[in-house]
Structure formats: C-alpha cells, structure tokens
Amino acid sequence: MKSLGGSAILVAALSLTGCVPNADPYPEIPRFAKSGGQTQAELDAKLATIPGLKFQKSSGGKPNVKGNTGFTFHFELDSGYRIADPAGLVDYLSRSAWSVRDGYMPNSAIYIECLCNVADNLDLVVAGEDAGWVAKDSQLHRGPAENGYTDVNVWVSTDNTYSERRGAVANRERLGKWPGDAPDVPENLVVPR
C-alpha cells in the first residue's frame, strides 16, 4: 500500500472539515473594480508630483481578522516646504484613497500621517475638521507631537455604533459609490518656504 504524503493528508483533512485553503473569508467586501477611479500606480504617479512631500506609504490592504480594510498615507514634508492648504490636502488624500480600484475598498478608515516641520505646528485633526471629513471632537485630539508628527483618521465604517459620531455616515455619502472619481492634484497644496 502506498503512503500519502503530508500535503495530501492536509488537503484531504481540510476538504472533509469544509476548510479550503485560499478561500475568500470576506466576499462581501468590494475589491478590484474593473473600471472607474484610478489604479494604485496612477495615484502614486500623482503623489510624486506634489513638491516637498515624500510618501513612504500610500496604499490599502487586505482585510484583517475582523474584516476591516483601510487605506494609509504616510509621508514626510521636506524642510524647505510648508503645507499651504492642510484642509485641501486631507480632502485630496481622502478622495484619492476612495478612488483606487485595484485593491480592497476601504471599509474602516483612511489614515493620514505626516512627519511635518515642527515650526508649522500643523494639526491634521484640525485640517480634517476644516475639510469636513472629521466630526468635531470625534477623535482623540492630542495636537502635533514634539517632532512634528501629526495624523488623522477619516472614518468610513458605517456598521458600528460609532459611525454617526465619527462622521463615517456623512463621509460615505460624500464619497459616493466606490471607486470614486480620481481627483486632480489641487494647485498650491504645498509651497516653498
């Protein structure tokens, strides 16, 4: 009698228990739209045109164990520049995240993180409130850190008790159908000092 290898036994066992490797645990989360919006590569090319900003990360991710997907922007501001329109930047990045079609639709939050110039005292939570993406007093507001780091969460999750308070319901209405239209980079978001 021929012995089955370990891999064959594992596949047979998983088949009997109903567990199939690589099964999609969250089929309800929209992803990889065939049209609309823009690709990740197109977004990256646009971000590269913004003077003074260096993006270390600008992407979404696969669902975590709770089925949450987000989109993160992490960037640094060159010391020779300043963010002239913080609210406009939060608006542009929020709409951009929602427009990326070759990944998962963000269903929790859009995270925007900047290591900015200390002297500017930039607060992205205030910028998010000014842009209308952040409900007043909905986030832990600690202001910029001593090194200039600041961040904001633009909530898009509409399936929990915090959705209304965090502004997520209004944000989803404002964003519309996913993927949204790809916004153009506004002029004079970041300018030389």
Side-chain angles (χ1 to χ4, degrees):
M1 181 175 218
K2 194 170 188 179
S3 171
L4 292 175
S7 298
I9 293 171
L10 177 63
V11 169
L14 290 174
S15 296
L16 290 174
T17 63
C19 296
V20 180
N22 299 324
D24 184 359
Y26 300 104
E28 72 281 3
I29 302 172
R31 87 277 319 260
F32 301 101
K34 294 184 190 308
S35 62
Q38 65 185 328
T39 65
Q40 180 68 54
E42 290 168 330
L43 172 60
D44 291 341
K46 285 182 182 178
L47 296 175
T49 69
I50 303 173
L53 294 186
K54 180 181 177 188
F55 285 83
Q56 285 81 28
K57 182 175 183 179
S58 61
S59 63
K62 293 180 179 180
N64 66 16
V65 296
K66 294 180 179 179
N68 295 327
T69 61
F71 199 99
T72 301
F73 292 100
H74 181 77
F75 55 95
E76 291 182 16
L77 177 64
D78 184 282
S79 62
Y81 290 83
R82 67 179 180 83
I83 298 175
D85 184 2
L89 182 61
V90 170
D91 181 66
Y92 170 71
L93 294 177
S94 298
R95 292 179 188 280
S96 293
W98 193 253
S99 72
V100 175
R101 71 173 176 261
D102 54 348
Y104 286 81
M105 178 190 88
N107 70 4
S108 60
I110 298 164
Y111 308 98
I112 303 172
E113 308 168 348
C114 178
L115 184 58
C116 294
N117 298 314
V118 175
D120 294 341
N121 202 33
L122 177 66
D123 189 333
L124 286 177
V125 171
V126 172
E129 290 172 352
D130 291 346
W133 292 106
V134 175
K136 192 84 168 153
D137 299 324
S138 68
Q139 296 192 27
L140 176 62
H141 191 213
R142 57 188 179 273
E146 289 182 13
N147 67 350
Y149 175 84
T150 179
D151 66 332
V152 65
N153 299 332
V154 174
W155 296 103
V156 294
S157 173
T158 58
D159 63 353
N160 61 51
T161 57
Y162 302 108
S163 297
E164 190 71 41
R165 190 175 81 214
R166 289 179 172 171
V169 173
N171 289 345
R172 287 287 285 269
E173 287 175 8
R174 187 174 174 186
L175 288 166
K177 186 179 174 189
W178 180 86
D181 292 335
D184 293 326
V185 179
E187 293 184 19
N188 301 317
L189 283 178
V190 182
V191 297
R193 290 193 176 278

